[in-house]
Structure formats: C-alpha cells, structure tokens
Amino acid sequence: MKIIVDDKIPYIRETLDRLGAEVEYIRGAGIQPEHVADADALIVRTRTRCDRHLLEGSKVKFVATATIGIDHLDTEWLDSAGIHWVNCPGCNASSVGQYVETSLMRLSLISGLTVGIVGCGHVGEEVKKVCERMGLKVIVNDPYVADPSFVSFNDIIQNADIITFHVPLTHKGDYPTYMMADSRFFSKLATRKRPLECIFNTSRGGVIDEQALLEALDKGMIRHAVIDTWENEPDINRRLLERADIATPHIAGYSADGKVKADNMVIDALCRHFGIDNPGEVVPPSLPPTFIYKGCTLDLYDPLVDTARLRSNPEAFEEQRGNYPLRRERA
C-alpha cells in the first residue's frame, strides 16, 4: 500500500509507520497528480483540493481529510469516481470551544450578554456549552437542526450581543453560507438600538464579507471582532488584521488534543476501509515540565499570543499554521 500524506499533519507519522505501508509526506498545497498516480490512499488537510484534476486516472480509492470542513473536497466527483472519502466531524470542537472561551475572557465579555450561535453542529454545540458555563445566555440558529428552541437568523441579528459563526462553507442548497454575513446582514445590524459587542468567525473565511465587516467596525456598529478564518488565505486582509481585536491564522481548532482526535479518526477509517489492523492510538505530547497551571483556561491558551505573532509577520500565515506550537486543552 502507498499513502500520500500532508506533511504538516502532526503526531501521525509514528503510528502510520507501524502500518508497514509506503508513506510519502508532501506539502499539502504542493500535492500534484504525479504524486498520487500510484497511491492507494491520500490523507490531507484544507490546503489540498481533492478533485478530478488531482485524482482522475490515479489508483487512489480512499481520501481522508484530518479536518471537519470538506469544502476542499469535490465530494460529488469523488462519489462518482468510486473514491471513498471521510472527514473528521467534531475532532476539534473542544479546541474551538477553548478558543472562544479565552477570546471572551480577553475581551471581558463574560457576563450579562447574549451569545448568538449560527450553526449548531459539533463545534456549535461545544461553544454553546462553553458560553452557558460562563454564565452567558445563548440563542441558536441552525435550519438543519429540528430544535423548537432555536431561533431565526434575523432573531440572532436583532437580539444577540455576540454573534459567532460555526458553519461549513457552502455555495448551494437552501441555506448557502457563502457571504451569509454580507452588506445586507450588516445593514440589519444598523437598525439595532445598540451596537453588537463582538462578532466571531472561526468557520471559513468566505462566510463573512470582510469589507462590509470593516465598514461596520469603522461606523461603530460592532465594538469587537475575533477573526480566525479569512478570505483569500493565506493572503489575508491587512487592515482587518490590524482592526480585529483578536486575529489568528486559522488555528482555533489547532490544539494538540484536537489534532490527535483527527489523526485517530483518519487512521481508524483507513484501516477499516482496507481491512487492516489498527496500529494503535496516537496520543498528544505532554506539556513541558516548566509549564505552570494556575487553574485558568488562559494558562493553557492565550489567543493574544497568536495574534501578536500573526501581526508581526503576516506573510508567514501558512508557516505559523504548519508549525504551530504545542497547545493543550487540559494540564
């Protein structure tokens, strides 16, 4: 068996080595048709577009993405070509929850406010738990979940003090999410009696119209912005980078715990598909012995550190993602 793997997927190598397969590690954005021509399986992240151009005529019968999102997979074509594909739903939900929690703490948005969650899959549900645990009121919009307590998107716009998006990036269907926070969204915000306290985007860059967001920030319609996912990554909007209170390089879900969950889901799916024995679980590395935990979530993760790093060197967006430092969700 031959497996092509994105070389920035952490912690997975030792376990894959135990499979006894031929494994080749390549930069995700650099994986080309000639690399996969004689491969049986492909393990990627968001930077590899898996479609007809890459895979037609190859031996590949299995594609796994070590991510929740699948907008980089042409699932219709993969299905038509008989290529089995999997993603890792929920793998980084608790990591994003940690990111939202620490961002709210850094912005002192921790009591007496209403959080509007748009999208209540694995991540949205985790963020809901985090916000409720912090004593915040939560309202939720998700047209795909039959929950009578959920509200309309317009209710979120009119009644939430904080709006956070946790949706996939989709262009089709009854509820496309591409540019769902567009100029019309922000014009509705303008009708509110009070400014929006904060807007979060940890989903996908195309969910929010960044120019419209900047105009809303400049007009005082929104007090704070937390941006982890960007249009045109890695060539991100430099004005928004400076204007956002917290601005990070698409790493909200990048805890070691979340990465390891994805690794294990990918390896398990690979072994089940090819009918081979699972070589054992990947485990996250321990925190260094010098680490001191005082009982606060900010001891484990402070988003302002990633913000400072990105602002100091925005050209290194991909490098900062690919060589992300150790971050744990618990001591």
Side-chain angles (χ1 to χ4, degrees), residues 106-117:
R106 275 301 187 191
L107 296 173
S108 299
L109 302 173
I110 53 178
S111 63
L113 298 174
T114 297
V115 178
I117 296 175

Side-chain angles (χ1 to χ4, degrees), residues 289-308:
T290 55
F291 173 79
I292 299 175
Y293 180 57
K294 299 177 182 177
C296 177
T297 305
L298 282 169
D299 296 333
L300 291 165
Y301 177 64
D302 185 347
L304 292 184
V305 174
D306 285 330
T307 298

